[in-house]
């Protein structure tokens, strides 16, 4: 199996940032696996598991990215990935859950505890405060892996927790 590196970039958000990173990685023969990008206020974060060709090291990837003008002022890191890059059963998303409403201190902690209580794995998490022009809502999205025998109770508890906080809860099953 090819070696795998974790590549992370944190810096100012700019148009063309993902394109510059992806093009550079493609040009040196890197294959992207799990990848995320998020605009975080005026900053941005790109994180990816990358399959490296035999002649490329994590250090080569990091050095090459640091030369890109689009990444000026960014913190760039590429390190060997010591874990199996293939997700196990707990990495399969069974449900996508969106909670929205007013911002609530401890909301993510409360919901994460519900998932732990039902032995459900949070595969992805996104929480975002929308600008006032977009309603000022706080939206939290979870992609989770819920064991089949715990699904009904877990989802009912998530819905009840959101309702008790005056928040809306939308659930959809995932086929991926």
């Amino acid at each position: 199996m090819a070696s795998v590196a974790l590549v992370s970039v944190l810096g100012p958000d700019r148009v063309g940032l993902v394109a510059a990173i992806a093009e550079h990685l493609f040009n040196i023969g890197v294959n992207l696996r799990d990848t995320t990008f998020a605009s975080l206020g005026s900053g941005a974060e790109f994180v990816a598991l990358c399959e490296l060709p035999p002649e490329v090291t994590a250090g080569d990837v990091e050095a090459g990215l640091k030369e890109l003008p689009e990444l000026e002022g960014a913190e760039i890191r590429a390190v060997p990935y010591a874990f199996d890059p293939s997700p196990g059963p707990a990495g399969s998303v069974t449900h996508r859950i969106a909670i929205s409403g007013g911002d609530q201190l401890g909301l993510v902690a409360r919901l994460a505890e519900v998932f732990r209580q039902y032995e459900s794995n949070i595969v992805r998490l996104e929480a975002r405060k929308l600008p006032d022009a977009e309603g000022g809502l706080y939206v939290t999205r979870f992609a989770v892996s819920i064991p089949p025998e715990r699904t009904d109770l877990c989802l009912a508890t998530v819905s009840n927790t959101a309702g008790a906080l005056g928040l809306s809860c939308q659930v959809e099953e995932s086929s991926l």
Side-chain angles (χ1 to χ4, degrees):
M1 179 163 100
S3 66
V4 177
L6 176 69
V7 173
S8 65
V9 176
L10 176 64
D13 191 17
R14 297 183 174 113
V15 172
L17 190 60
V18 173
I21 295 168
E23 180 180 3
H24 173 75
L25 295 174
F26 169 76
N27 287 340
I28 62 172
V30 169
N31 184 41
L32 292 177
R33 291 184 64 119
D34 290 356
T35 303
T36 61
F37 175 81
S39 179
L40 305 166
S42 63
E45 179 185 49
F46 175 95
V47 178
L49 288 182
C50 299
E51 289 181 10
L52 308 181
E55 69 278 2
V56 175
T57 68
D60 297 333
V61 172
E62 184 173 312
L65 289 171
K66 286 181 175 179
E67 293 178 13
L68 298 178
E70 293 88 349
L71 299 184
E72 183 178 337
E75 294 176 25
I76 301 164
R77 208 175 81 149
V79 296
Y81 190 69
F83 306 98
D84 185 346
S86 301
S92 297
V93 175
T94 60
H95 295 81
R96 297 182 189 285
I97 302 166
I99 310 288
S100 62
D103 194 359
Q104 301 277 333
L105 184 62
L107 172 65
V108 172
R110 287 180 181 174
L111 292 169
E113 181 55 35
V114 169
F115 293 124
R116 178 170 54 179
Q117 176 184 349
Y118 291 99
E119 298 178 4
S120 302
N121 189 41
I122 299 170
V123 180
R124 297 265 183 199
L125 165 66
E126 174 193 8
R128 184 167 182 232
K129 172 90 164 94
L130 299 177
D132 290 336
E134 295 178 40
L137 294 176
Y138 188 75
V139 180
T140 307
R141 293 182 180 93
F142 294 91
V144 295
S145 177
I146 305 173
E149 67 279 5
R150 298 179 177 266
T151 299
D152 292 340
L153 284 173
C154 181
L155 294 177
T157 305
V158 167
S159 181
N160 289 340
T161 301
L165 296 170
L167 305 172
S168 70
C169 176
Q170 297 177 316
V171 177
E172 73 177 46
E173 285 189 44
S174 178
S175 59
L176 299 176

